[in-house]
Amino acid sequence: MDRAGAVALLARAPAVHLASTTPEGEPVLRVLHGVVVGDHLLFHGAPVGEKMDVVGRRAVISAEEIVASIPSYFVDPERACPATTFYRSAQVHGTIERVDAPHLKAAMLAALMEKYQPEGGYAPIDAEHPLYKKAVAGVLVLGVSLERLDGKAKLGQNRTPAEIGRLLDLLWARGAPGDARAIDLVRAASPSLAAPSFLEAPADATLLCAMGEADADEATALLVGTYWCEGTSSDRIRRSLLGSSAWVGARDRSGALVGTARAIADGARRAWIYDVIVDDAWRGRGLGRALMRLLLNHPAVRGAETVLLRTRDAMGFYEPFGFRTRHVHRTDGREIHEMILARTEASGEAACPLASAGKGT
Ligand SMILES: CC(C)(COP(=O)(O)OP(=O)(O)OC[C@H]1O[C@@H](n2cnc3c(N)ncnc32)[C@H](O)[C@@H]1OP(=O)(O)O)[C@@H](O)C(=O)NCCC(=O)NCCS
């Protein structure tokens, strides 16, 4: 993992682990709320507390994220030995320093609040603020320089392309929570690998099967101005993307987001498709179809007996996937087609009178 990745991992970790020794040589292990401020990882405590023991001592602080557990049978049908875990971790080695400058202590506390209470609801922290002056003076702030920082990402990089391809297929087939994200991370760690078949995209585009926070602003920008988002604020669009059960996307060679689609789904009966969009410059090259194929196949969507969506004019785009119009609504004088894809004979839709019009088509 590169340095920026390691810093980011430390910065977002809900908790970090500190290992050190007391002056008597006793081992010390603590779980901390750490924040990255400038080129230090900082944490706080009480000036008379046990954290004082480690001031001036050598220490290592680590954070880790489990990406996916890889069962042995993904690799070998009998031997247990190949069972492993894909993960990302960061470790910083250094000497625990005490921070005394009030403005730095205040900056640490402000960063801590921003990380753990991002919704706000408090007066901004400033060393001179009457609400905080005493607290800032009284708190113990400690930290370690990020100079000796190592990041490690164990994401299958040492495996052959065929082995990784097989792992990706198996992760997609398993579809446990986090597996779609693991697939994107494994691919990003081995960028020269060919896309597995479920992520095949038109030339110069890369499909992503687990979009997230880092994609939200770009995806929102693609959607603002569409007829179906009229009257919906950017913030609400953004939150709806992040709240989806399945959210896929596509990036071009420069890394720009050029398409997205999402679904909300219960994993068994229904999935609703929303926000299918391809950037103007990319339309007509098969990207929309690739995104829909990926979304319909997504672990959160593929088990749904019926998949639904609404469109004003893109019926011809959805029909080849098996969608049929089951009603036509009129909203503000415009026709909206509600389309259904019924995936099994015993879909349960018969119980719903609205669905019967779409049955068997
Ligand atoms: C609809 C949209 C996502 C399609 O993406 P795309 O990348 O251009 O689609 P593809 O190139 O993969 O096209 C796949 C097929 O669907 C057809 N198609 C594409 N857009 C269509 C549309 N709006 N209506 C009918 N058919 C359409 C294509 O002609 C192609 O057919 P072919 O295989 O017979 O050549 C894209 O045009 C778009 O973003 N439109 C604006 C937003 C929108 O309307 N989204 C749908 C809201 S419900």
Side-chain angles (χ1 to χ4, degrees):
M1 202 195 312
D2 63 14
R3 185 178 166 81
V7 173
L9 175 53
L10 277 177
R12 71 172 174 267
V16 297
H17 293 92
L18 164 101
S20 187
T21 52
T22 64
E24 294 74 38
E26 284 300 310
V28 172
L29 180 63
R30 306 244 187 280
V31 182
L32 306 170
H33 284 151
V35 285
V36 173
V37 178
D39 54 3
H40 278 68
L41 181 88
L42 301 179
F43 54 95
H44 71 315
V48 289
E50 53 187 8
K51 286 189 190 121
M52 272 304 279
D53 287 355
V54 293
V55 176
R57 304 200 60 80
R58 302 288 297 159
V60 52
I61 298 182
S62 75
E64 54 282 318
E65 265 178 12
I66 302 296
V67 172
S69 80
I70 307 296
S72 60
Y73 52 80
F74 273 17
V75 178
D76 189 291
E78 291 179 11
R79 273 189 324 123
C81 311
T84 191
T85 300
F86 283 177
Y87 64 88
R88 298 195 290 186
S89 69
Q91 277 201 346
V92 55
H93 290 256
T95 300
I96 309 272
E97 302 163 31
R98 183 175 168 149
V99 174
D100 288 317
H103 75 280
L104 277 180
K105 291 168 87 176
M108 183 273 162
L109 295 171
L112 198 67
M113 289 302 289
E114 205 172 300
K115 179 172 176 180
Y116 293 100
Q117 192 176 308
E119 70 278 18
Y122 57 91
I125 296 177
D126 184 292
E128 294 309 315
H129 195 296
L131 277 179
Y132 300 122
K133 199 169 176 170
K134 206 167 145 204
V136 169
V139 73
L140 174 73
V141 174
L142 303 177
V144 174
S145 159
L146 293 177
E147 201 178 316
R148 283 192 54 210
L149 174 64
D150 296 314
K152 182 170 177 191
K154 183 182 170 192
L155 295 169
Q157 304 94 322
N158 57 344
R159 299 182 189 229
T160 65
E163 286 168 343
I164 301 183
R166 186 176 143 74
L167 267 179
L168 294 179
D169 285 342
L170 289 164
L171 283 169
W172 187 243
R174 181 172 74 177
D179 282 348
R181 178 170 171 271
I183 289 166
D184 284 347
L185 291 173
V186 168
R187 287 193 76 205
S190 299
S192 58
L193 281 186
S197 59
F198 61 92
L199 285 171
E200 261 166 27
D204 298 332
T206 301
L207 291 186
L208 301 163
C209 51
M211 302 265 283
E213 189 71 46
D215 310 294
D217 289 343
E218 276 179 284
T220 302
L222 279 180
L223 289 162
V224 166
T226 58
Y227 67 83
W228 66 91
C229 289
E230 231 170 70
T232 307
S233 69
S234 298
D235 176 59
R236 197 171 281 275
I237 295 172
R238 193 177 192 283
R239 285 189 286 130
S240 66
L241 293 166
L242 291 168
S244 303
S245 325
W247 180 20
V248 301
R251 292 193 174 277
D252 68 9
R253 281 174 87 92
S254 76
L257 192 77
V258 291
T260 183
R262 70 181 184 97
I264 53 176
D266 61 21
R269 294 184 65 199
R270 299 276 194 290
W272 273 93
I273 305 277
Y274 293 97
D275 295 339
V276 180
I277 191 155
V278 166
D279 183 56
D280 273 344
W282 271 83
R283 290 186 191 163
R285 294 200 237 170
L287 187 55
R289 185 171 26 224
L291 284 167
M292 270 303 288
R293 194 170 64 103
L294 179 63
L295 187 60
L296 289 172
N297 216 337
H298 189 285
V301 176
R302 63 182 169 225
E305 289 175 336
T306 53
V307 186
L308 297 147
L309 59 85
R310 288 182 182 172
T311 182
R312 199 187 264 179
D313 51 22
M315 293 75 75
F317 171 67
Y318 296 112
E319 279 159 1
F321 295 99
F323 283 92
R324 298 290 174 259
T325 295
R326 70 169 187 177
H327 320 293
V328 180
H329 304 272
R330 270 193 173 272
T331 309
D332 300 333
R334 305 291 301 251
E335 286 189 348
I336 299 282
H337 286 242
E338 185 165 300
M339 303 188 82
I340 182 167
L341 169 65
R343 283 167 143 171
T344 62
E345 285 302 310
S347 69
E349 279 293 322
C352 171
L354 291 179
S356 49
K359 274 297 226 187
T361 55

